[in-house]
Amino acid sequence: MLSIRRHAKTLASSCTNLTQKRTYVDVYMKWKRDPYFDNIEHILRSSQLKSVLGLKNCIVDDPNRCIPISAISKKTRQFDVSTKIAQFLRKFPSIFEEFVGPEYNLPWFRLTPEATELDKQERIVYETYAEDLRDRLKKLILMSKDNVLPLSIVQGMKWYLGLPDDYLQFPEMNLDSSFRFVDMEDGVKGLAVDYNGDKVLSVLQKNAMKKRGRRGEVDLEEIEFPLFPSKGCRLRVKIEDWLEEFQKLPYVSPYDDYSCLDPSSDVAEKRVVGFLHELLCLFVEHSAERKKLLCLKKHFGLPQKVHKAFERHPQIFYLSMKNKTCTAILREPYRDKASVETHPVLAIRKKYIQLMKNSELILKSRRNSFGFRDEGIVEKDLDLDFEG
């Protein structure tokens, strides 16, 4: 169900040749579930996988490649784990192997041979695609207001960009000469990019050039968003008219200067949608928790209610309500797989997810084995809820 309220206003800017017209349509969309996007496995398991890989890296970084539970038992917030760490590790016996340590009879954990092999493959991916990962970070920073982002923002986007946990700890190895660490306002440390190369083109611009079979500058007037409506979704005539007008608006690349745009204009809205499109194209899963993107508003010139862009453009984005959160998913990479380049880290993450699924089979087998015993199941917790 969709309803609209229309307001009209024509604005002219002295610093641009574009006439910025405001014909705001207040779109209300009754959320419509799409089983396809709700059940993309690597998106569904992304949050849990992030915790698994964080703990895996903690074990790998130890000189002995094994750790006692006491080393991590109080770090539930750091690894974003809602249960006790030991309980979480035991959920994945195909990744984490438990054994009794040399001191105090406490449980220790190490990686299984399968997980160790995957860790090696993961590191090879990082080495092989180092330039690709660096370019994704560079593009993120180049979309920002002054080509600089606080390190806290970069840290928060590492998982989505597919960067290793320790990426910024080794700048001489991971960053090129165009990157520099700077001091921002209020003593905040930032990462800036000095770029004087060829114009950076967005995914939409590159695809438009390929489609038209020509090289050179892409006319701003010619870029439209690929639309992928859910099955059974019908729009009212007035909404269709507004959408057609919106598509014909000038496209402002997220890498271009947007300071001349009136924030309330239709062109500015299309620029915001274009930014979100490009941002999700850079991410591993072409998706992100919507709340995690709210911290980007200040540094990318986004409106206060940027989250409304996802709701106003359901044929471009899908909002999944699975896992007790709202995840914004870009439709295009999943409906037209040739349009957006697959992230090089995605394949290795899918392999880790398969190991996680193998753990479920192992635990199920163990439960069935215990079920044949007359004495019943006795749960053991060797760490005795160890807290210190």
Side-chain angles (χ1 to χ4, degrees):
M1 177 181 178
L2 297 162
S3 62
I4 63 171
R5 294 194 301 273
R6 181 176 292 272
H7 311 276
K9 184 179 182 181
T10 301
L11 302 160
S13 174
S14 61
C15 58
T16 181
N17 293 327
L18 302 175
T19 299
Q20 299 181 49
K21 184 179 178 182
R22 183 187 178 193
T23 54
Y24 182 78
V25 178
D26 188 7
V27 177
Y28 168 74
M29 179 190 71
K30 184 178 181 181
W31 180 76
K32 180 177 176 59
R33 182 175 179 272
D34 190 322
Y36 173 81
F37 287 101
D38 276 337
N39 293 286
I40 299 175
E41 190 168 48
H42 57 266
I43 294 180
L44 277 175
R45 294 180 179 262
S46 179
S47 178
Q48 194 176 54
L49 176 62
K50 182 181 179 182
S51 300
V52 167
L53 294 188
L55 289 162
K56 182 268 297 182
N57 291 334
C58 187
I59 293 174
V60 171
D61 291 342
D62 187 88
N64 298 317
R65 299 182 74 86
C66 60
I67 56 174
I69 190 60
S70 58
I72 52 176
S73 61
K74 292 184 178 180
K75 298 182 179 181
T76 54
R77 178 174 293 183
Q78 176 182 333
F79 296 111
D80 196 19
V81 175
S82 58
T83 62
K84 294 175 183 177
I85 296 288
Q87 183 180 349
F88 183 82
L89 292 171
R90 289 175 186 142
K91 289 176 63 177
F92 305 103
S94 63
I95 300 175
F96 304 108
E97 181 181 338
E98 182 178 354
F99 64 100
V100 178
E103 297 179 1
Y104 309 113
N105 222 25
L106 292 175
W108 285 53
F109 291 90
R110 60 192 169 209
L111 297 186
T112 62
E114 296 81 4
T116 300
E117 176 60 28
L118 266 188
D119 177 72
K120 293 178 182 178
Q121 294 180 26
E122 181 184 4
R123 293 174 188 276
I124 291 174
V125 169
Y126 289 143
E127 293 176 5
T128 305
Y129 295 96
E131 184 176 354
D132 182 285
L133 298 177
R134 183 167 52 246
D135 286 345
R136 290 174 188 271
L137 174 59
K138 186 178 295 185
K139 287 180 178 180
L140 176 71
I141 296 175
L142 288 176
M143 288 193 291
S144 64
K145 187 175 182 181
D146 298 308
N147 293 352
V148 59
L149 287 176
L151 289 181
S152 59
I153 298 293
V154 177
Q155 292 281 6
M157 294 293 108
K158 280 191 309 180
W159 172 256
Y160 294 125
L161 290 170
L163 305 179
D165 280 349
D166 59 357
Y167 193 79
L168 294 181
Q169 296 177 23
F170 303 98
E172 67 286 346
M173 181 174 65
N174 295 319
L175 305 179
D176 59 30
S177 58
S178 66
F179 291 89
R180 59 188 175 88
F181 292 96
V182 298
D183 291 322
M184 302 178 69
E185 58 184 12
D186 299 326
V188 175
K189 298 293 182 180
L191 183 62
V193 170
D194 297 320
Y195 184 77
N196 297 312
D198 296 334
K199 179 178 179 179
V200 180
L201 298 179
S202 69
V203 170
L204 286 171
Q205 289 173 319
K206 290 179 181 178
N207 288 342
M209 291 172 64
K210 291 178 182 178
K211 185 176 180 181
R212 294 172 184 133
R214 70 186 188 199
R215 298 179 181 273
E217 196 80 10
V218 176
D219 192 336
L220 290 177
E221 297 282 351
E222 298 179 357
I223 303 293
E224 296 185 359
F225 294 105
L227 303 180
F228 301 90
S230 296
K231 292 182 180 180
C233 180
R234 295 183 179 180
L235 303 179
R236 293 184 179 180
V237 175
K238 290 184 179 180
I239 294 292
E240 289 182 340
D241 292 343
W242 166 78
L243 185 57
E244 184 177 350
E245 292 176 10
F246 181 84
Q247 288 281 51
K248 292 178 180 178
L249 290 170
Y251 170 81
V252 179
S253 168
Y255 302 105
D256 290 345
D257 179 25
Y258 56 86
S259 59
C260 295
L261 295 181
D262 183 331
S264 65
S265 67
D266 288 344
V267 176
E269 180 182 357
K270 187 165 184 177
R271 180 251 161 193
V272 170
V273 175
F275 164 78
L276 294 174
H277 183 283
E278 182 72 6
L279 182 70
L280 294 179
C281 283
L282 295 177
F283 289 174
V284 178
E285 295 139 6
H286 308 305
S287 67
E289 281 191 77
R290 189 172 64 172
K291 64 182 180 182
K292 296 291 181 63
L293 302 180
L294 299 182
C295 64
L296 305 180
K297 290 186 290 188
K298 174 182 177 182
H299 305 285
F300 293 93
L302 305 177
Q304 188 65 27
K305 295 183 178 180
V306 61
H307 60 279
K308 292 289 186 181
F310 296 114
E311 301 169 11
R312 285 171 56 79
H313 299 277
Q315 296 182 331
I316 302 174
F317 309 103
Y318 177 73
L319 294 178
S320 174
M321 304 300 176
K322 288 293 190 75
N323 293 335
K324 299 180 180 179
T325 188
C326 180
T327 301
I329 305 172
L330 182 63
R331 289 177 177 268
E332 185 175 4
Y334 294 98
R335 292 306 191 190
D336 182 5
K337 297 186 183 300
S339 64
V340 181
E341 183 180 356
T342 301
H343 197 292
V345 173
L346 180 60
I348 198 69
R349 286 191 181 177
K350 287 183 176 180
K351 290 183 179 181
Y352 277 115
I353 289 174
Q354 186 58 52
L355 269 189
M356 294 166 65
K357 293 169 66 177
N358 292 347
S359 293
E360 296 172 1
L361 297 176
I362 293 173
L363 293 176
K364 183 178 180 180
S365 177
R366 288 178 182 176
R367 287 193 296 268
N368 291 338
S369 297
F370 277 120
F372 288 106
R373 296 184 180 181
D374 293 333
E375 61 270 25
I377 301 174
V378 178
E379 294 185 0
K380 67 173 184 176
D381 193 357
L382 292 179
D383 61 343
L384 297 177
D385 300 333
F386 188 84
E387 295 294 343

